[in-house]
Structures are given as C-alpha cells and as structure tokens.
Amino acid sequence: MSIHERLKELGIVLPSAAGPFGAYVPVKRVGNLLYVAGQLPMKDGKLLATGQVPSRASVDQAKQAARQCVINALGAIQAVDGLLDKLVGVVRVGVFVSSDTSFTQQPQVANGASELLLEIFGETGKHVRAAVGVNTLPLDASVEVEFIFECS
C-alpha cells in the first residue's frame, strides 16, 4: 500500500507546506536520508497547543499537537515533487516539549508523534527518539518535532 493510500485510509489530509520561516530549508535529502526541519503543531493557520505543559496545555493537548507535527512534516515532504512516494520508513524523531519546571512526562507527549508514525508506516515506522523538555518554543508552541526518514 502506498503512503498516499494509507493516509487516505486513516482520513489524513496533508496540508500545504509552511515556511521556511528563516535561513533554512524545510526538507533536505542526503543520500537515502531525508531530514525534515522542526515542525510546529499548526492546523488551519493556528497552533493546536500553546505554552508550557501541563500548566497551559494539557498532556493530551500536547500529545495531539505532536501528532499534528507528523502530518505537517509529511505535508512538507509532499511539497518536494515525488519525494513522499520515496519514503521507506522512519529513522529518528526529536520531540521538544515546552515544559513546566517539574514536568517529566515528555515521552508521553512524544508518543503522539510516534504512534501516528507506526500507524502510517507499520514496522518501518519504528524509530529512535529523543523527548526533551525546554522552557519555550517558537510562537509559544507547546511542541516542536523534527524528523529523519529513510527514502529509496
């Protein structure tokens, strides 16, 4: 099953690529690796979750936001002609969670991204991951996620 078919089966519509918002590119291929710049949880032009977790955004909201970051990353890849069809699997996911000082459940938030990648890619969606707490993120987002995919 192609990635397009799998996304359709899951009811996921990929957004148009956003950005870049600085001196970088959103997607870069190096050999068989595809690097995707950090994605914010934007949907219909608005952040799904803002502020520190859990005082301003709940763990559940942040988890949904991490899921949206996956969708946005795939949208960024789709903007590069034919690249989405070349995805083979997921190598690494880096999840940054804007966290209150005593918050230690970043892995639960990161599961929002990881679980969706497994739904989309199956076995080849298994990846290594970092889930890191930070004091603030761009635009006051609760979550930012970066990716490394394998492609053919």
Side-chain angles (χ1 to χ4, degrees):
M1 176 181 299
S2 78
I3 191 164
H4 292 287
E5 292 168 335
R6 183 66 182 136
L7 291 170
K8 186 175 181 180
E9 186 178 274
L10 292 170
I12 296 172
V13 177
L14 297 181
S16 299
F21 300 104
Y24 68 94
V25 293
V27 177
K28 182 170 183 165
R29 183 173 182 169
V30 178
N32 70 332
L33 297 178
L34 188 66
Y35 295 80
V36 180
Q39 299 292 308
L40 297 179
M42 300 296 282
K43 185 173 182 178
D44 301 324
K46 295 181 181 175
L47 286 168
L48 288 185
T50 57
Q52 285 74 30
V53 180
S55 64
R56 293 182 49 213
S58 70
V59 172
D60 222 31
Q61 287 172 315
K63 187 175 178 179
Q64 288 302 310
R67 183 183 192 283
Q68 184 65 40
C69 291
V70 171
I71 295 168
N72 294 348
L74 295 174
I77 293 168
Q78 180 176 256
V80 181
D81 286 339
L83 209 44
L84 191 63
D85 294 323
K86 295 182 190 267
L87 291 183
V88 174
V90 187
V91 177
R92 182 185 185 280
V93 176
V95 181
F96 303 91
V97 182
S98 182
S99 302
D100 289 324
T101 315
S102 61
F103 183 69
T104 59
Q105 297 174 27
Q106 290 84 3
Q108 284 183 293
V109 172
N111 282 341
S114 294
E115 290 166 359
L116 180 57
L117 289 166
L118 290 170
E119 281 184 65
I120 294 169
F121 290 93
E123 189 68 22
T124 63
K126 290 183 178 177
H127 53 273
V128 298
R129 181 179 85 185
V132 180
V134 298
N135 67 336
T136 191
L137 288 168
L139 304 179
D140 197 28
S142 295
V143 179
E144 181 174 357
V145 185
E146 64 181 7
F147 304 85
I148 301 173
F149 292 93
E150 182 182 4
C151 50
S152 59

